[in-house]
Amino acid sequence: MYDYLIVGAGLFGSVFAYEATKRGKTCLVIDKADHIAGHIYTEKIQDIQIHKYGAHIFHTNNQKIWDYVQQFAEFNHYINSPIANYRGELYSLPFNMNTFYQLWGVKTPQEAKNKIKDQRDRAGIVEPKNLEEQAISLVGTDIYEKLIKGYTEKQWGRSASELPAFIIRRLPIRFTFDNNYFNDRFQGIPIEGYTSIVEKMLDGIEVRLSTDYFEHKHTLDKLADKIVFTGMIDQYFNYEHGILDYRSLRFDHEYLADIDNFQGNAVVNYTDIETPFTRIIEHKHFAFGTQPGSYITREYPAEWKVGDEPYYPINDKENNEKYNLYKAMAKPLKNVIFGGRLATYKYLDMHQVINSALQTIRKEFDS
Ligand code: FAD
Ligand code: UDP
């Protein structure tokens, strides 16, 4: 009945559906959630676009991906510059000359470099083996203690000395006065929200919501020649090699009717270990909003178990090895395409998801 059954109306599934439909194919898109757009789902409440699954800032260095998304949205000029709150002291993020001045009073890049080198030397780290050592060798012990250790240990639920170093490497460190959290050339927030992007992609395509693939697998599989699966790969194979671990999040949303500006910034990170949440998002600031009230979200890291919403894959050695076993099982299945963050067990930014969906399309149609 359909050329493709697409499991998941998130970004990967929707780009695939849009491109396949453009090429004359018929698609049925299903999602177990009661809305489209997966984790990039936004909803307008009190005239403010709310990022329901955490702050989403679109950023990319890839001109083609930037041009591609422009057909679905107009972006504003938002630049992400979070503030860190450590026990009431405020610091600029990512780590840059503003942070170094606020912490140490240093005024030149050389003074900042000397300070970091001195702290790194005293810690005696030669070859960093984990996140703690990596962080200290990049920015020294003061920044590690105040801005990294507490946040990281809350976020991941384990000691920074047990975490892989690569997690921290995605944060820029600059010896210029520049608070831009990303190094990419292109950045912004879609003015009409992310859901509107996915709505446009899925326009005219049949979508069935509140439909769990595994509950109806037998019937659904018969409906299409091929399946594009964007759910959890371990679940697809019935957890045959064990469960892939995730870290979860809980979002506590609050509307402040009488406060038009709660924290003066879209994102404030709470980097001490005592505050149970990692950050507070004030959504209107993503869009330079001037509404009379404000909508804020506290983000609490949480343990994950099967059935909970999976957020961050735990890409340690054990889980990656398990994933490779599933990947090997997926390879010979010629009528199932696995894509997106859950089927590849990777933290992927939106631009990477779009890129990967477009590559999948090219492979499917051009070869
Ligand atoms: P998803 O959006 O998760 O879509 C998968 C879909 O499949 C879901 O809708 C799900 O309900 C559905 N599904 C799963 N299993 C089944 C099933 N059995 N049956 C039916 N449907 C099923 N990226 C950025 O570029 N910038 C950011 O600032 C940014 N911030 C982030 C902040 C947080 C807190 C998190 C967690 C992620 C962030 N991301 C950000 C990453 C971004 O969310 C992802 O790149 C994107 O959502 C991944 O799209 P996807 O289609 O792969 O997955
Ligand atoms: N991080 C930190 N302090 C901060 C912000 C980030 O220590 O104030 C560390 C933390 O380990 C986090 C990693 O940097 O997991 C990556 O941060 P990023 O903001 O990219 O991740 P997000 O939490 O937005 O997914």
Side-chain angles (χ1 to χ4, degrees):
M1 279 175 70
Y2 301 91
D3 294 312
Y4 294 96
L5 166 70
I6 298 170
V7 180
L11 190 56
F12 188 96
S14 302
V15 170
F16 189 96
Y18 175 79
E19 292 296 331
T21 306
K22 216 168 79 179
R23 288 162 174 80
K25 301 294 178 187
T26 52
C27 298
L28 169 64
V29 180
I30 64 158
D31 204 296
K32 65 179 179 182
D34 61 2
H35 59 77
I36 58 166
H39 273 188
I40 67 170
Y41 179 65
T42 49
E43 191 181 342
K44 205 171 199 179
I45 304 175
Q46 304 283 355
D47 204 32
I48 304 168
Q49 290 287 357
I50 310 302
H51 299 210
K52 283 287 184 147
Y53 295 87
H56 277 74
I57 299 104
F58 196 94
H59 57 95
T60 181
N61 239 340
N62 186 331
Q63 175 95 53
K64 285 198 182 115
I65 298 297
W66 183 242
D67 292 344
Y68 184 80
V69 287
Q70 303 305 309
Q71 60 182 312
F72 306 106
E74 191 185 333
F75 282 76
N76 69 16
H77 63 284
Y78 178 81
I79 297 287
N80 198 32
S81 307
I83 295 290
N85 181 324
Y86 175 75
R87 298 183 176 157
E89 298 167 15
L90 300 185
Y91 296 100
S92 303
L93 290 174
F95 313 124
N96 73 88
M97 282 306 294
N98 291 307
T99 330
F100 307 143
Y101 174 70
Q102 291 149 357
L103 257 171
W104 302 316
V106 293
K107 296 188 179 104
T108 66
Q110 196 53 54
E111 284 172 341
K113 283 179 185 170
N114 292 347
K115 192 90 189 167
I116 290 170
K117 181 174 184 311
D118 186 41
Q119 296 194 355
R120 183 196 306 135
D121 289 349
R122 265 189 283 141
I125 295 157
V126 187
E127 233 180 82
K129 287 183 294 300
N130 54 49
L131 193 151
E132 176 172 285
E133 294 183 1
Q134 176 75 66
I136 293 172
S137 81
L138 287 172
V139 287
T141 39
D142 286 348
I143 291 186
Y144 173 68
E145 293 294 337
K146 287 192 170 188
L147 303 182
I148 297 174
K149 187 176 177 4
Y151 185 98
T152 299
E153 295 188 347
K154 285 192 287 193
Q155 173 80 331
W156 296 98
R158 56 186 82 181
S159 159
S161 58
E162 293 164 33
L163 284 164
F166 77 86
I167 295 175
I168 197 78
R169 273 191 229 124
R170 64 176 188 242
L171 292 194
I173 292 154
R174 294 195 196 101
F175 293 90
T176 50
F177 291 90
D178 177 359
N179 295 332
N180 187 344
Y181 204 62
F182 303 111
N183 284 325
D184 291 337
R185 274 176 73 197
F186 309 104
Q187 186 173 169
I189 304 277
I191 292 166
E192 299 299 324
Y194 289 96
T195 304
S196 150
I197 294 183
V198 176
E199 263 165 12
K200 290 194 181 110
M201 289 175 176
L202 295 178
D203 187 30
I205 298 172
E206 188 180 342
V207 180
R208 293 185 200 167
L209 296 175
S210 307
T211 305
D212 190 320
Y213 174 64
F214 296 106
E215 274 175 30
H216 309 278
K217 187 172 186 308
H218 193 63
T219 342
L220 288 166
D221 280 351
K222 288 192 212 133
L223 294 182
D225 295 336
K226 274 196 167 184
I227 295 162
V228 176
F229 181 79
T230 74
M232 297 192 294
I233 191 166
D234 53 347
Q235 188 179 12
Y236 186 90
F237 292 111
N238 214 7
Y239 305 107
E240 216 165 287
H241 296 295
I243 292 163
L244 292 171
D245 281 328
Y246 283 89
R247 188 78 175 143
S248 197
L249 295 172
R250 182 170 64 79
F251 295 104
D252 183 4
H253 304 287
E254 188 182 356
Y255 180 62
L256 308 168
D258 304 322
I259 297 176
D260 72 333
N261 188 0
F262 173 73
Q263 62 184 15
N265 206 39
V267 184
V268 177
N269 290 1
Y270 286 76
T271 57
D272 64 284
I273 192 78
E274 295 83 15
T275 307
F277 45 85
T278 46
R279 46 191 169 188
I280 302 183
I281 309 302
E282 188 170 15
H283 299 265
K284 69 192 306 180
H285 296 310
F286 287 121
F288 314 99
T290 54
Q291 300 84 348
S294 196
Y295 202 96
I296 61 167
T297 301
R298 293 181 179 81
E299 188 173 318
Y300 294 82
E303 287 293 318
W304 177 87
K305 57 180 182 333
V306 172
D308 296 342
E309 186 62 30
Y311 282 91
Y312 295 98
I314 308 285
N315 286 110
D316 59 10
K317 195 168 169 281
E318 192 188 328
N319 281 291
N320 286 342
E321 279 170 10
K322 249 186 246 175
Y323 167 68
N324 284 332
L325 297 173
Y326 288 119
K327 196 175 159 191
M329 288 177 85
K331 207 169 171 202
L333 302 184
K334 294 297 171 219
N335 65 338
V336 191
I337 297 168
F338 293 83
R341 65 181 194 98
L342 296 167
T344 58
Y345 193 59
K346 263 191 210 81
Y347 178 88
L348 296 173
D349 272 327
M350 292 177 277
H351 63 282
Q352 296 168 313
V353 170
I354 294 175
N355 201 19
S356 145
L358 292 176
Q359 271 172 13
T360 307
I361 283 284
R362 279 196 290 275
K363 218 169 126 197
E364 185 71 0
F365 292 95
D366 300 347
S367 56

